[in-house]
């Protein structure tokens, strides 16, 4: 298989309302930074892949069409990916395949969400026929799964709050983060209002406007780069239905199988020992220990122990979300790509104040729908085998 | 270094004014069965699934998620989705096989155009800041393009009616078509305008429908299908959308895609995704198709235009021509967006 690498990444300032820019301006803020970071210019970009979550979030049907010019796609191939919350990651995976297939040398992957253009709660509340309404947003949907996890694993109640404290403090080190809360404490999180038992206000992701862009290149493009690149050692995607008899919402098989395929393709046999940093899609604090188990970093029922021991902090055995993660910035369609980009930044040594020292191998992870769509990649300082 | 890739199976649902179901699953289950049977492939042998659909058509977020239920996606599958016509899902699957990440793929597209007022829904594809608030619907935008083409002398109302007459006559032998018949050109041009200069026969019907297509690499394709339709090239391009930003009588993205696949002038058949008669004429010019090329023996989108699968169905119809031995070399084309903004072309051929 041909080698591929991340040549550069860019992202916007994430915040509740970016009324200073249009959708095009938001995307260009990320794209322009990615091109500069990659040291490439428009003539070198062969194709554009755009990802975002439901079009109802902005109220534009297939917005890549009106954005084509602003995305630099005019006269080029343009693909639009939509795989629910995993879409930012899936967009990176599709762009990687275009280079792996030898179709293109350099591909620009872009993901965005401008939630303030519309009302995300409304967009998510239109009921399909014959489906029971939940009417409590994503938190209401996932809270029972978190409760099930706590009951199954006997995790102490404060673990969720620990994740929130870690991620919000990490976010304070990230100049692009929407929420930056260096003063947050375990006590303040535990004193915040209960939204969907057991998920408290401070354990919940924000609603953000934001975008992310990644330039992916082939081996020749990577070797021509004057700056370090992040070699894409493996990608994986898996899907399963939302509901079916035997569905495990706590530890979904699609996520576990995607991870197994990923580690195998990357030649990794002991993920906890061989991965230096992980950017994992954690929209509600408890998903950190849940996904640590699903990804195979620990055995089932033991993820919370890694979190509780402090090993997922910067400086720990496996720093998780040193950027602050989804708990600090959540432009939904871009959130997965931000995980992929932050993983790349770590191995390129360009993560700034939230850099994990000596990071050589990193995971980027995203999921979506009812814990049913998974996309992930492993990037490294070297191409691997 | 890359494997050869071929179409080895295709199936489509009949195009209907209303599918009589609210569920894509009900439409897709029998379709997957038909496409896989044609490819002599079991559901569990599909390495990669890829679909195209639109939330706005369905009127709700995440409309593609339930379609997964039609697959029976457990154990979990490798799967992806584009918010585009499934012709672009076909492209994603083709690339996946080229990259060696899959050996077989099933591509599907579905849409229930009848759920809303399609021409108004499609107005929401336009620039939301300056154009969409004026609500220029899709038929009106196409009419502006047709008027420009007529004024430029590129097409005539007579030539447009000839396209409609030929398409409807061809569709009489297509059991999946929604519109067919043997009208004369004189009868057609005598009809009143729907949106000057477009008459009803110039516009595709509003159709519910779906299509599914099976792809396989090299040896695998030969094992499963006696005469696979080998893909000798696929390319797609997009133009800027702004209606005043380009000459609407030309289709630069179609021309560029045709150049990228080195589209042969001596094709046997071309299935063009032209939802309006004048667009077929513009596309024939843009693609450089000669008089000898047989256009849309299926009747084309003018006789059945299921949104988000009509482009894939053109590739499928072209592939059927090759798989059944009626054509040595055929092309399938798909379009997306207002006034032929985005275009994809795929060349298929028989190999001995």
């Amino acid at each position: 298989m041909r080698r591929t690498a991340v040549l550069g990444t860019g992202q916007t300032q994430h915040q509740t309302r970016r009324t200073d820019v249009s959708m095009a301006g938001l995307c260009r803020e990320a794209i322009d930074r990615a091109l500069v970071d990659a040291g490439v210019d428009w003539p070198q970009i062969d194709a554009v892949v755009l990802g975002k979550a439901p079009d109802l979030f902005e109220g534009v049907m297939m917005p890549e069409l009106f954005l084509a010019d602003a995305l630099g796609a005019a006269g080029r191939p343009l693909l639009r990916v939509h795989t629910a919350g995993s879409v930012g990651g899936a967009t990176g995976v599709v762009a990687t395949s275009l280079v792996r297939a030898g179709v293109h040398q350099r591909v620009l992957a872009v993901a965005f969400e401008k939630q303030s253009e519309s009302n995300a709660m409304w967009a998510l509340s239109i009921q399909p026929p014959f489906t029971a309404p939940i009417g409590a947003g994503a938190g209401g949907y996932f809270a029972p799964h978190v409760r099930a996890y706590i009951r199954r694993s006997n995790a102490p109640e404060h673990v969720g709050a620990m994740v929130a404290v870690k991620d919000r403090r990490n976010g304070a080190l990230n100049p692009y983060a929407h929420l930056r809360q260096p003063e947050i404490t375990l006590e303040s999180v535990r004193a915040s209002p209960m939204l969907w038992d057991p998920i408290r206000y401070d354990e919940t992701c924000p609603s953000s406007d934001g975008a992310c862009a990644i330039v992916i290149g082939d081996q020749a493009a990577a070797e021509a780069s004057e700056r370090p690149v992040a070699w894409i050692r493996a990608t994986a995607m898996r899907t399963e239905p939302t509901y079916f008899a035997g569905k495990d919402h706590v530890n979904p098989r699609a996520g576990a199988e995607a991870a197994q395929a990923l580690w195998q393709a990357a030649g990794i046999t002991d993920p906890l020992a061989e991965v230096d940093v992980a950017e994992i899609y954690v929209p509600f604090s408890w998903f950190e220990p849940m996904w640590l188990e699903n990804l195979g970093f620990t055995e089932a029922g033991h993820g919370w122990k890694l979190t509780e021991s402090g090993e997922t902090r910067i400086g720990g055995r496996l720093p998780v979300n040193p950027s602050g993660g989804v708990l600090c910035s959540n432009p939904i369609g871009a959130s997965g790509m931000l995980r992929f980009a932050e993983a790349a930044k770590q191995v390129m040594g360009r993560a700034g104040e939230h850099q994990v020292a000596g990071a050589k191998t990193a995971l980027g992870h995203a999921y979506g729908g009812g814990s049913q769509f998974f996309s992930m990649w492993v990037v490294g300082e070297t191409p691997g085998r | 270094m890359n494997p050869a890739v071929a179409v080895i199976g295709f199936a489509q649902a009949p195009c209907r004014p209303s599918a009589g179901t609210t569920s894509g699953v009900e439409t897709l289950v029998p379709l997957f069965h038909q496409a896989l049977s044609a490819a002599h492939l079991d559901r569990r042998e599909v390495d990669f699934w890829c679909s195209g659909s639109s939330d706005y058509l369905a009127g709700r977020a995440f409309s593609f998620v339930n379609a997964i239920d039609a697959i029976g996606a457990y154990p979990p599958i490798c799967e992806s989705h584009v918010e585009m016509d499934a012709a672009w899902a076909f492209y994603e699957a083709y690339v996946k096989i080229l990259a060696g990440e899959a050996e077989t793929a099933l591509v599907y597209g579905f849409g229930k155009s009848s759920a809303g007022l399609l021409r108004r829904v499609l107005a929401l594809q336009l620039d939301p800041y300056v154009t969409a608030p004026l609500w220029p619907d899709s038929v009106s935008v196409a009419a502006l393009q047709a008027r420009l083409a007529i004024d430029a002398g590129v097409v005539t109302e007579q030539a447009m009616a000839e396209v409609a007459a030929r398409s409807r006559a061809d569709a009489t032998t297509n059991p999946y078509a929604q519109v067919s018949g043997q009208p004369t050109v004189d009868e057609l041009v005598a009809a009143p305008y729907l949106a000057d200069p477009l008459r009803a026969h110039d516009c595709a019907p509003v159709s519910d429908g779906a299509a599914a297509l099976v792809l396989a690499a090299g040896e695998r394709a030969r094992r499963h299908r006696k005469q696979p339709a080998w893909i000798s090239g696929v390319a797609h391009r997009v133009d800027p959308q702004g209606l005043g930003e380009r000459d609407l009588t030309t289709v630069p993205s179609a021309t560029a895609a045709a150049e990228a696949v080195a589209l042969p002038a001596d094709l046997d058949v071309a299935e063009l995704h032209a939802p309006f008669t004048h667009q077929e004429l513009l596309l024939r010019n843009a693609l450089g198709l000669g008089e000898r090329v047989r256009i849309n023996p299926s009747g084309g989108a003018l006789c059945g235009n299921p949104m988000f699968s009509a482009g894939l169905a053109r590739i499928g119809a072209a592939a059927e021509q090759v798989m059944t031995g009626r054509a040595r070399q055929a092309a399938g084309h798909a379009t997306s967006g207002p006034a032929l903004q985005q275009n994809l072309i795929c060349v298929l051929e028989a190999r001995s």
Side-chain angles (χ1 to χ4, degrees):
Chain A
M1 200 173 275
R2 292 180 184 84
R3 285 176 173 173
T4 52
V6 174
L7 308 180
T9 71
Q11 61 186 284
T12 57
Q13 210 70 46
H14 311 295
Q15 61 190 56
T16 308
R17 287 182 189 81
R18 284 294 308 267
T19 50
D20 58 321
V21 286
S22 63
M23 285 177 236
L26 189 74
C27 290
R28 274 308 275 266
E29 190 174 308
I31 292 169
D32 290 348
R33 285 174 181 161
L35 293 181
V36 169
D37 191 53
V40 305
D41 203 354
W42 284 111
Q44 295 168 288
I45 298 295
D46 301 320
V48 181
V49 186
L50 180 89
K52 69 174 295 304
D55 290 356
L56 274 71
F57 281 176
E58 286 81 11
V60 185
M61 182 181 190
M62 303 156 77
E64 67 282 0
L65 291 169
F66 97 89
L67 290 171
D69 211 8
L71 297 171
R76 295 187 168 97
L78 171 65
L79 278 172
R80 158 69 195 285
V81 181
H82 177 14
T83 61
S86 69
V87 66
T91 304
V93 172
V94 171
T96 303
S97 292
L98 283 167
V99 180
R100 269 187 189 161
V103 177
H104 299 303
Q105 188 173 22
R106 288 182 192 84
V107 174
L108 173 67
V110 188
F112 84 97
E113 208 72 72
K114 202 160 190 295
Q115 293 198 55
S116 67
E117 295 278 338
S118 176
N119 182 328
M121 239 0 247
W122 173 82
L124 291 174
S125 300
I126 298 170
Q127 285 306 320
F130 314 119
T131 304
I134 294 169
Y141 181 84
F142 290 115
H145 309 159
V146 171
R147 275 201 300 279
Y149 172 73
I150 294 171
R151 189 179 62 246
R152 255 195 228 181
S153 67
N154 292 313
E157 176 254 347
H158 64 270
V159 168
M162 285 186 71
V163 174
V165 170
K166 168 183 69 76
D167 284 3
R168 292 280 165 80
R169 288 188 176 181
N170 285 349
L173 304 173
N174 176 357
Y176 300 109
H178 176 172
L179 298 180
R180 310 179 73 216
Q181 301 176 342
E183 311 296 333
I184 197 168
T185 64
L186 207 58
E187 292 67 36
S188 69
V189 174
R190 294 173 82 178
S192 70
M194 185 66 82
L195 291 187
W196 307 278
D197 192 353
I199 302 171
R200 292 184 183 277
Y201 182 78
D202 279 353
E203 296 175 82
T204 306
C205 57
S207 196
S208 316
D209 286 356
C212 182
I214 297 179
V215 181
I216 293 170
D218 66 3
Q219 184 164 359
E223 285 166 1
S225 175
E226 289 174 6
R227 307 179 73 192
V229 301
W231 293 95
I232 300 166
R233 289 177 54 186
T235 63
M237 282 172 66
R238 289 293 185 279
T239 297
E240 68 184 35
T242 318
Y243 304 109
F244 56 93
K247 165 102 178 187
D248 188 343
H249 288 277
V250 174
N251 195 359
R253 184 164 162 187
E257 290 192 1
Q260 283 165 16
L262 184 79
W263 302 135
Q264 189 180 2
I268 288 172
T269 52
D270 181 352
L272 189 57
E274 295 174 64
V275 175
D276 301 313
V277 51
E279 282 280 344
I280 302 175
Y281 202 104
V282 177
F284 304 100
S285 60
W286 280 97
F287 275 88
E288 174 175 305
M290 287 163 70
W291 291 146
L292 284 172
E293 297 172 21
N294 191 239
L295 285 162
F297 284 113
T298 74
E299 284 178 36
H302 294 268
W304 63 268
K305 293 174 185 167
L306 201 65
T307 298
E308 194 191 33
S309 66
E311 296 287 6
T312 60
R313 293 182 193 139
I314 296 172
R317 197 169 166 198
L318 178 72
V320 174
N321 296 329
S323 68
V326 182
L327 280 180
C328 291
S329 310
N330 186 34
I332 298 179
S335 290
M337 188 174 286
L338 286 165
R339 307 281 69 72
F340 278 44
E342 287 290 347
K345 283 167 65 176
Q346 289 288 344
V347 299
M348 295 191 292
R350 303 212 277 272
E353 277 192 73
H354 62 279
Q355 177 71 47
V356 171
K360 290 183 170 52
T361 305
L363 168 75
H365 161 275
Y367 86 102
S371 299
Q372 64 185 126
F373 300 104
F374 293 86
S375 56
M376 39 192 90
W377 76 9
V378 170
V379 287
E381 192 185 38
T382 58
R385 57 180 182 180
Chain B
M1 184 165 177
N2 288 334
V5 185
V7 177
I8 59 168
F10 173 66
Q12 60 188 312
C15 297
R16 290 198 179 123
S18 171
T21 170
T22 53
S23 159
V25 175
E26 286 179 12
T27 311
L28 289 171
V29 168
L31 210 57
F32 291 165
H33 180 73
Q34 289 164 33
L36 289 168
S37 298
H40 306 287
L41 200 69
D42 187 81
R43 174 173 67 83
R44 290 165 197 83
E45 293 180 280
V46 176
D47 293 338
F48 182 63
W49 300 73
C50 201
S51 62
S53 70
S54 162
D55 280 350
Y56 257 91
L57 206 63
R60 68 181 186 88
F62 302 121
S63 60
F64 63 93
V65 173
N66 294 65
I68 303 299
D69 291 346
I71 298 174
Y74 198 78
I77 56 168
C78 293
E79 183 266 345
S80 190
H81 172 261
V82 296
E83 193 83 352
M84 311 175 82
D85 187 288
W88 280 267
F90 165 86
Y91 180 76
E92 183 179 332
Y94 166 73
V95 167
K96 208 87 178 162
I97 295 174
L98 276 189
E101 296 173 323
E103 204 180 19
T104 59
L106 189 146
V107 181
Y108 61 100
F110 60 101
K112 190 173 158 58
S113 310
S114 67
L117 256 179
L118 182 63
R119 54 191 284 181
R120 292 232 341 143
V121 172
L122 291 175
L124 293 168
Q125 289 182 333
L126 299 163
D127 185 312
Y129 302 110
V130 297
T131 316
L134 304 171
W135 286 96
D137 67 49
S138 58
V139 177
S140 303
V141 170
L144 288 172
Q145 184 183 35
R147 170 55 61 202
L148 287 165
I150 290 169
D151 289 354
V154 181
V155 305
T156 62
E157 293 181 39
Q158 177 85 11
M160 288 157 61
E162 283 166 10
V163 168
R166 189 209 67 226
S167 299
R168 288 175 182 218
D170 283 337
T172 55
T173 55
N174 178 358
Y176 303 99
Q178 184 175 335
V179 176
S180 63
Q182 305 279 3
T184 67
V185 171
D186 289 344
E187 284 164 15
L188 293 177
V189 294
Y193 288 120
L194 181 73
D196 186 350
L198 300 179
R199 298 177 172 86
H201 66 257
D202 291 311
C203 310
V206 175
S207 314
D208 291 359
L213 183 150
V214 184
L215 290 168
E219 203 40 54
R220 199 71 191 274
R222 278 183 207 94
R223 206 189 317 154
H224 286 277
R225 185 90 192 204
K226 197 171 162 202
Q227 178 61 279
W230 296 98
I231 299 167
S232 62
V234 191
H236 61 99
R237 297 287 187 276
V238 67
D239 287 316
Q241 186 184 73
L243 297 176
E245 284 177 43
R246 69 177 168 97
D247 176 359
L248 291 178
T249 66
T250 65
V251 196
S253 55
T255 303
E259 282 168 8
V261 295
L263 188 70
D266 58 346
L267 286 168
D268 297 316
V269 170
E271 280 280 346
L272 304 182
H273 183 195
F276 299 92
T277 52
H278 71 278
Q279 293 184 340
E280 179 189 304
L281 299 168
L282 297 182
L283 282 167
R284 281 159 66 169
N285 288 342
L287 299 172
L289 295 176
E291 287 299 313
R292 207 189 68 79
V293 181
R294 178 85 167 85
I295 307 288
N296 291 350
S298 69
L302 285 170
C303 297
N305 186 33
M307 294 300 294
F308 299 90
S309 65
L312 180 69
R314 301 279 73 70
I315 296 170
E320 287 282 20
Q321 292 280 330
V322 174
M323 290 191 289
T324 55
R326 289 195 294 270
R328 289 289 301 169
Q329 199 170 41
H333 159 269
T335 195
S336 176
L340 299 172
Q341 188 194 348
Q342 189 171 21
N343 292 278
L344 176 147
I345 189 122
C346 171
V347 184
L348 301 136
E349 63 185 26
R351 285 177 195 166
S352 40

